[in-house]
Amino acid sequence: MTTATRINETRRWSMLGLGVFAQAASAVFVNGVAFLLPALTDRGLPLATAGLLVAMPTVGLVCTLIAWGYVVDRIGERKVLIGGPLLMLAAGGAAAATTNDIALGALLFLGGVGAASTNGASGRLIVGWFPPHRRGLAMGIRQTAQPLGVGVGALAVPAVAATYGVPAAILVPAGMAGLAAVGSLIGIIDPPRPAGGGGADASLRANPYRGDATLWRIHAVSVLLVIPQGTVWTFALLWLHRDVGWSLAAAGILVTVTQILGAAGRIGAGAWSDRVGSRLGPLRIVAVAAVLSMAALALAAWTHMWWAAIPLLIVASVITVSDNGLAFTAVAEIAGPYWSGRGLGIQNTGQNLAMAVVAPAFGALISASGFAAAYLLAAGLAVAAVPLVPTDRRTQ
């Protein structure tokens, strides 16, 4: 049996790379399909119908994140990282072949179900194979998979759809998922778990949510902090174009730059948590920084101080994503080897549901009161997150 001591550094980092690729493939499937909207409407679909179709992968993902976490806890990471991407490949291939819109929606939903598999599994790989003083950095790198996937989707999906049609564009994430399944089959090894029996094993198997609010508090903090992140991500382009007066091209470039810097911020926050030996201490500091950056951004938007608004937007874009890896690592470590899959599933479900609310709710607020009000409300929600961060725990 392969044990942690027999896994060298190269193998650890190669498995991290495979996990990142699998997660990125999922992000392309879930987020990249949204870039099919122009092609779908061009072929005659009403915008409402097209919007419903491209939302189906997200629906499939949110509905099954916790279930996949349970499967990870029961059968291990390797099988899930093979089976989930294979489901994405099969669903994407069938979606590319169908001409029926109802079937297309059902298959995109099924692809989203497969995409949900990579969340808990790739996170558990990190906690299982990396020592505590490397987990924060590794999880920060893993958290870059989403912006990388969104970037690949933005570049590839609409271009392929315009040149070769919608079916070929759907095959882009499906093909990535197939490669992820093959890579996981060849390169992934399940992390070791404690041998059965004994009081220590029984303690690890115990429900970490029972009688302890620590994980629930981390989930609540993450839900509150993802709203400033979603507000910046969703409305930055529109704000730069409508209020600041930038062209869409220039605004798009800045938003892309902030995504890259945000990915670097996740890695930096993870490395910082490794250095200080804590996840929750840095998480509390990031929450406070999110309050200050969003409040400052609201002030700049309200007073039209555009010379300050642009740097503040960049700062807020980096800070509001830096908590993700810290919280994910803390959840996986505290939940333990028999519950981390479910813990990460709950974590992802809460954040995705909160993100789904951001666009309609904050869009209505912006229409009624402007961008400054939206940024201020996001800062207020971050204020509520600060006292919810649990008492510091050292990594273990």
Side-chain angles (χ1 to χ4, degrees), residues 309-335:
I310 304 307
L312 286 170
L313 175 64
I314 295 171
V315 170
S317 298
V318 174
I319 289 173
T320 57
V321 301
S322 296
D323 65 285
N324 287 357
L326 298 172
F328 270 60
T329 310
V331 167
E333 289 178 332
I334 294 169

Side-chain angles (χ1 to χ4, degrees), residues 123-187:
R124 169 62 194 144
L125 276 177
I126 291 167
V127 174
W129 281 126
F130 283 82
H133 66 281
R134 287 286 182 269
R135 287 177 192 159
L137 173 61
M139 190 69 85
I141 293 172
R142 182 257 192 190
Q143 291 296 96
T144 66
Q146 184 181 23
L148 287 175
V150 173
V152 170
L155 289 173
V157 171
V160 173
T163 306
Y164 301 104
V166 170
I170 295 175
L171 291 176
V172 171
M176 288 182 63
L179 291 174
V182 172
S184 297
L185 175 65
I186 296 171

Side-chain angles (χ1 to χ4, degrees), residues 163-218:
T163 306
Y164 301 104
V166 170
I170 295 175
L171 291 176
V172 171
M176 288 182 63
L179 291 174
V182 172
S184 297
L185 175 65
I186 296 171
I188 294 296
I189 302 172
D190 280 337
R193 290 177 176 174
D201 183 56
S203 176
L204 288 172
R205 290 180 181 273
N207 185 345
Y209 290 92
R210 187 172 298 158
D212 188 346
T214 299
L215 287 173
W216 289 120
R217 289 176 65 176
I218 296 173

Side-chain angles (χ1 to χ4, degrees), residues 75-384:
I75 69 172
E77 291 72 21
R78 182 173 181 268
K79 292 177 181 178
V80 169
L81 285 173
I82 296 170
L86 282 178
L87 180 58
M88 276 193 285
L89 172 62
T98 188
T99 57
N100 182 280
D101 291 336
I102 295 177
L104 176 60
L107 289 165
L108 291 176
F109 174 89
L110 192 61
V113 171
S117 66
T118 63
N119 288 271
S122 57
R124 169 62 194 144
L125 276 177
I126 291 167
V127 174
W129 281 126
F130 283 82
H133 66 281
R134 287 286 182 269
R135 287 177 192 159
L137 173 61
M139 190 69 85
I141 293 172
R142 182 257 192 190
Q143 291 296 96
T144 66
Q146 184 181 23
L148 287 175
V150 173
V152 170
L155 289 173
V157 171
V160 173
T163 306
Y164 301 104
V166 170
I170 295 175
L171 291 176
V172 171
M176 288 182 63
L179 291 174
V182 172
S184 297
L185 175 65
I186 296 171
I188 294 296
I189 302 172
D190 280 337
R193 290 177 176 174
D201 183 56
S203 176
L204 288 172
R205 290 180 181 273
N207 185 345
Y209 290 92
R210 187 172 298 158
D212 188 346
T214 299
L215 287 173
W216 289 120
R217 289 176 65 176
I218 296 173
H219 296 326
V221 168
S222 296
V223 167
L224 290 168
L225 292 182
V226 84
I227 294 175
Q229 172 188 323
T231 302
V232 173
W233 275 17
T234 304
F235 298 107
L237 185 71
L238 182 64
W239 179 57
L240 289 169
H241 178 62
R242 182 191 292 178
D243 280 23
V244 184
W246 284 27
S247 69
L248 285 174
I253 291 172
L254 180 61
V255 170
T256 301
V257 170
T258 63
Q259 289 283 317
I260 296 170
L261 293 175
R266 296 181 186 205
I267 296 173
W272 170 31
S273 75
D274 287 336
R275 185 175 182 83
V276 300
S278 167
R279 316 299 175 202
L280 300 179
L283 179 60
R284 181 178 291 104
I285 294 172
V286 169
V288 172
V291 173
L292 297 176
S293 63
M294 292 304 297
L297 190 60
L299 178 62
W302 180 52
T303 58
H304 304 291
M305 294 188 300
W306 306 135
W307 59 271
I310 304 307
L312 286 170
L313 175 64
I314 295 171
V315 170
S317 298
V318 174
I319 289 173
T320 57
V321 301
S322 296
D323 65 285
N324 287 357
L326 298 172
F328 270 60
T329 310
V331 167
E333 289 178 332
I334 294 169
Y338 296 104
W339 279 84
S340 61
R342 278 164 283 188
L344 292 173
I346 295 170
Q347 176 81 1
N348 274 292
T349 300
Q351 287 191 303
N352 276 282
L353 290 174
M355 285 285 278
V357 172
V358 166
F362 279 73
L365 177 60
I366 289 168
S367 297
S369 304
F371 287 94
Y375 296 149
L376 187 60
L377 176 58
L381 292 170
V383 168

